[in-house]
Amino acid sequence: GNSVTQMEGPVTLSEEAFLTINCTYTATGYPSLFWYVQYPGEGLQLLLKATKADDKGSNKGFEATYRKETTSFHLEKGSVQVSDSAVYFCALSDLGVTGGGNKLTFGTGTQLKVEL
Amino acid sequence: KAGVTQTPRYLIKTRGQQVTLSCSPISGHRSVSWYQQTPGQGLQFLFEYFSETQRNKGNFPGRFSGRQFSNSRSEMNVSTLELGDSALYLCASRVNSGANVLTFGAGSRLTVL
């Protein structure tokens, strides 16, 4: 079955540091890949997505590239801010592969803490 | 445009009771999915409804059920509550079965005592 593996957290960084959160996946076919962010007490917000190999998703300074050869979708940001403190989830969608509708398979989440 | 609305936001129940959670999708969205989030198991897919029909179901016991109404609003029900059902229940909607982007609500936090 499908699975997503994320690096363990928490990740603690100083403001303006470079961020990388690793994500690898196992899936049949050609899934779409996503990063969602969850702030305390809230639901999930879509951060960025990529639907095919070599696509780069980007939003709010965050980027991730769909690497089929390494089955990876690592999240990066050049300079983090305190306001980026949240839990980040990598996910894949097997839409159309199984014909049974769409469902997201999530990683375990990585908590990011950014300090001044 | 209003987002996905879930009610209630917080609720406390005791073991053996049942609970019903409600989700109103974004206007025009016809597909609604439900996920359970717990510290131990993370985010797990419960089921998806499209045009009042269940399209996909996760690996949960029959105590977990759902339905969708003709206006696309959805409810999920958990009967005979167990302590392990304490979780954040997230609803998400998308335009149709061909769209791959889900928009999530803020969730309903259920505590079972």
Side-chain angles (χ1 to χ4, degrees), chain B residues 29-70:
Chain B
H29 285 197
R30 296 172 60 195
S31 168
V32 174
S33 302
W34 289 89
Y35 289 79
Q36 181 196 62
Q37 185 178 23
T38 60
Q41 299 298 316
L43 282 151
Q44 294 185 289
F45 173 76
L46 280 156
F47 26 66
E48 180 189 17
Y49 287 86
F50 177 75
S51 293
E52 303 179 64
T53 302
Q54 188 179 86
R55 291 291 304 274
N56 205 352
K57 189 177 189 304
N59 189 26
F60 278 81
R63 300 185 297 106
F64 291 81
S65 63
R67 58 178 176 168
Q68 186 181 34
F69 302 95
S70 59

Side-chain angles (χ1 to χ4, degrees), chain A residues 8-60:
Chain A
E8 295 279 337
V11 173
T12 302
L13 296 173
S14 298
E15 200 170 44
E16 299 184 0
F18 185 85
L19 168 71
T20 299
I21 300 178
N22 290 337
C23 170
T24 57
Y25 68 90
T26 302
T28 54
Y30 303 95
S32 294
L33 301 174
F34 305 85
W35 277 100
Y36 279 86
V37 58
Q38 186 175 36
Y39 297 98
E42 299 184 12
L44 301 173
Q45 298 177 25
L46 178 66
L47 182 59
L48 53 84
K49 69 179 176 78
T51 57
K52 61 183 187 298
D54 299 326
D55 266 2
K56 177 186 280 189
S58 61
N59 185 27
K60 299 180 181 180

